[in-house]
Amino acid sequence: MNDVLPDEVGRWQRVEQAYARTMSLYGFREVRTPYVEPTALFTRAIGEATDVVEKEMYSFVHHDEPLTLRPEGTAGAARAYIEHQVHAKEPVSRWWYGGAMFRAERPQRGRYRQFYQLGAEIFGDPGPGCDAEMIDMLVQLLGELRVPGVQVYVNSLGGADTRARYRDALVAYLGPKAASLTPDSQRRLGTNPLRILDSKDERDRAACEGAPTLHDFLGADDRAHFEALRKHLDALGTPYTVDPRLVRGLDYYTRTLFEIKGAKDKLGAGDTLVGGGRYDNMLADLGGQAAPAIGFAAGLERLLIASELEAPAGRVDALVAPLGDTVGAALGLARELRRSGIRCECDTRGSTLKSQLRRANALGARVVVIQGDTELAAGVVQVKDLDAHTQETMPRDQAIRVVVDRLVAASRSVDSRRPDATTPTPVPPAAKPGGEA
Ligand code: AMP
């Protein structure tokens, strides 16, 4: 579990803001569900024989009530959808969420015990149109987040009956080779044989070579659904690879399944940025009205490892530097600048001009407004532009307008150089507030 210090939070916020913007552009609305849910919700939704439920959940019993810190977001969203009878209010619901998830995994790069996911669900649309749109939306988002080397993998798991028939065929194929499997996979042969296909171990991979693929077992409807998904992705020009071995770790998927990976040189083994798929049976399995559903989750830390987005520039736009006995007036000046949208600090330490200028540099300020006793008496300030290397004395009110104009111009030129820049654009000066200084 990690601390995220303020120096890093800027990049987190840029990704979170880009995500929230993308979601609203696609008509998704944010949902917030609890961090703790009854343990039974996860065992029923995710599946008893999955790694997450078997080994990774932080579960505890409080006053006889078994509870678990949420290991993923879909189960809670589905529970909320059922509990609030959302299906009766609208035919299709598009929800997004973001927040911490908890899994007791072996920590490594890109794999943590408290990690953050950005996810979304669509309830009520059987696809495959929305499946294709969801995958394409993620590709667009990753482009905006400047993630290089994005690769999309898709597969179809068919319905529950396909899985059952395939499971039998896989067990029949792997059974005689059981001795060559890893101990984990030998165990999975009895509990969750599909997961053996997911194993990274060479012994398991060799044993699976030549195994029947799920596609041979897809029914006509499932096959048509998958073909239509591919057709829509082709129409959108979204590149993808069909990976018949893709199964993923959560048991609830049906039909469409996808993963999006980033460049291995940055991410190493944890190169899966996004995982998602359809789970058309979950709502009914959890006791709700049957409704088709699809969702995904992206690992925020992994997006941050993969993304080439830089931290937003500068902590403040301006520093107000009082000298002598002028702190009260300087605080009023800073307050007025902030009303005009200028991010600023007022240096209230009572230190020398030299040390205040050093601080302005450290904060990334572009302008320093200096006010000493003589200036205060004359109703003027000095505006020092650290980029243009100029310093001018001017009346206080004029200084506010000049600072705002310069910073608006500066942020425009930054915006035109870097389309993703998130330096806030200062708003034009407010009508002159009275009673200050
Ligand atoms: P899942 O919920 O297992 O389908 O995972 C979806 C995505 O969440 C993965 O592709 C990762 O990007 C991220 N993720 C899952 N588990 C972890 C973890 N322990 N630490 C960091 N990111 C994770």
Side-chain angles (χ1 to χ4, degrees):
M1 300 190 187
N2 299 304
D3 297 312
V4 186
L5 295 179
D7 274 350
E8 303 164 63
V9 163
R11 289 187 78 234
W12 283 63
Q13 289 175 334
R14 289 189 73 176
V15 173
E16 287 161 351
Q17 284 157 7
Y19 183 68
R21 196 168 53 237
T22 298
M23 287 296 113
S24 90
L25 286 173
Y26 282 80
F28 286 76
R29 294 186 303 156
E30 186 182 358
V31 63
R32 299 188 185 197
T33 63
Y35 280 50
V36 182
E37 297 270 5
T39 302
L41 172 68
F42 300 113
T43 47
R44 283 171 69 191
I46 300 173
E48 296 270 6
T50 55
D51 284 355
V52 172
V53 170
E54 273 181 351
K55 305 188 253 188
E56 297 168 0
M57 295 205 303
Y58 285 102
S59 300
F60 57 98
V61 176
H62 181 255
H63 292 307
D64 295 331
E65 194 182 6
L67 297 170
T68 293
L69 297 183
R70 63 181 190 187
E72 54 95 67
T74 298
R79 182 209 38 76
Y81 180 82
I82 295 168
E83 193 171 316
H84 299 278
Q85 305 201 349
V86 182
H87 74 275
K89 297 173 194 151
E90 55 185 20
V92 175
S93 303
R94 294 178 157 225
W95 288 3
W96 71 266
Y97 62 85
M101 307 293 161
F102 304 85
R103 294 185 197 172
E105 298 195 79
R106 195 169 53 81
Q108 51 184 289
R109 183 170 173 76
R111 189 177 293 284
Y112 314 105
R113 292 184 165 174
Q114 174 174 327
F115 61 100
Y116 290 77
Q117 284 187 335
L118 300 171
E121 321 291 343
I122 302 177
F123 298 109
D125 186 333
C130 68
D131 307 20
E133 186 188 52
M134 183 175 270
I135 292 169
D136 181 58
M137 170 179 83
L138 287 161
V139 172
Q140 305 303 315
L141 173 72
L142 292 170
E144 194 180 328
L145 297 179
R146 298 219 236 129
V147 174
V150 167
Q151 299 276 355
V152 176
Y153 297 90
V154 298
N155 191 19
S156 175
L157 288 183
D161 54 324
T162 312
R163 284 253 282 263
R165 282 187 292 124
Y166 179 60
R167 183 184 303 237
D168 292 346
L170 194 61
V171 172
Y173 181 85
L174 290 175
K177 301 167 177 250
S180 62
L181 295 171
T182 57
D184 247 359
S185 288
Q186 288 179 16
R187 194 176 45 78
R188 287 185 187 130
L189 207 48
T191 57
N192 195 351
L194 266 64
R195 291 286 289 148
I196 301 173
L197 299 174
D198 235 9
S199 168
K200 306 271 181 290
D201 193 289
E202 273 313 313
R203 284 169 290 173
D204 295 334
R205 287 189 164 252
C208 290
E209 203 64 47
T213 75
L214 243 163
H215 286 191
D216 306 328
F217 293 79
L218 290 180
D221 288 354
D222 295 335
R223 206 175 283 277
H225 191 277
F226 190 51
E227 288 314 314
L229 166 68
R230 297 186 56 180
K231 199 177 79 185
H232 298 327
L233 287 173
D234 292 339
L236 285 164
T238 313
Y240 62 90
T241 306
V242 175
D243 178 1
R245 293 279 156 92
L246 180 64
V247 290
R248 300 195 47 70
L250 314 172
D251 244 5
Y252 49 62
Y253 292 117
T254 50
R255 293 195 163 171
T256 306
L257 193 64
F258 61 91
E259 268 187 4
I260 305 183
K261 298 193 180 214
K264 238 196 165 53
D265 56 337
K266 277 195 175 173
L267 290 154
D271 60 347
T272 304
L273 297 170
V274 190
R278 188 158 273 292
Y279 49 98
D280 290 341
N281 300 328
M282 188 196 287
L283 296 174
D285 287 350
L286 291 178
Q289 168 96 19
I294 183 167
F296 70 82
L300 182 47
E301 290 87 348
R302 292 194 195 177
L303 291 179
L304 286 160
I305 294 172
S307 163
E308 288 172 356
L309 280 187
E310 284 164 18
R315 280 154 62 176
V316 297
D317 306 309
L319 181 79
V320 177
L323 299 169
D325 189 17
T326 66
V327 169
L331 288 171
L333 187 61
R335 187 169 67 184
E336 260 184 77
L337 286 169
R338 292 180 191 122
R339 280 190 183 147
S340 298
I342 303 295
R343 300 177 302 163
C344 84
E345 272 193 41
C346 180
D347 194 331
T348 51
R349 297 173 301 167
S351 47
T352 62
L353 180 60
K354 195 172 162 202
S355 117
Q356 299 202 50
L357 290 177
R358 214 178 296 129
R359 179 152 173 212
N361 268 315
L363 295 176
R366 201 195 123 128
V367 172
V368 185
V369 184
I370 304 162
Q371 185 170 53
D373 292 314
T374 352
E375 282 94 359
L376 183 60
V380 296
V381 295
Q382 295 187 46
V383 175
K384 187 174 178 65
D385 188 320
L386 298 179
D387 276 6
H389 305 288
T390 57
Q391 183 161 337
E392 296 163 76
T393 302
M394 59 187 82
R396 183 181 178 283
D397 290 345
Q398 186 191 342
I400 291 172
R401 283 195 298 277
V402 165
V403 171
V404 171
D405 287 349
R406 283 200 195 167
L407 290 168
V408 170
S411 82
R412 281 212 188 102
S413 73
V414 169
D415 283 347
S416 62
R417 272 183 280 131
R418 292 211 328 253
D420 58 283
T422 54
T423 313
T425 306
V427 295
K432 186 176 165 278
E436 274 156 43

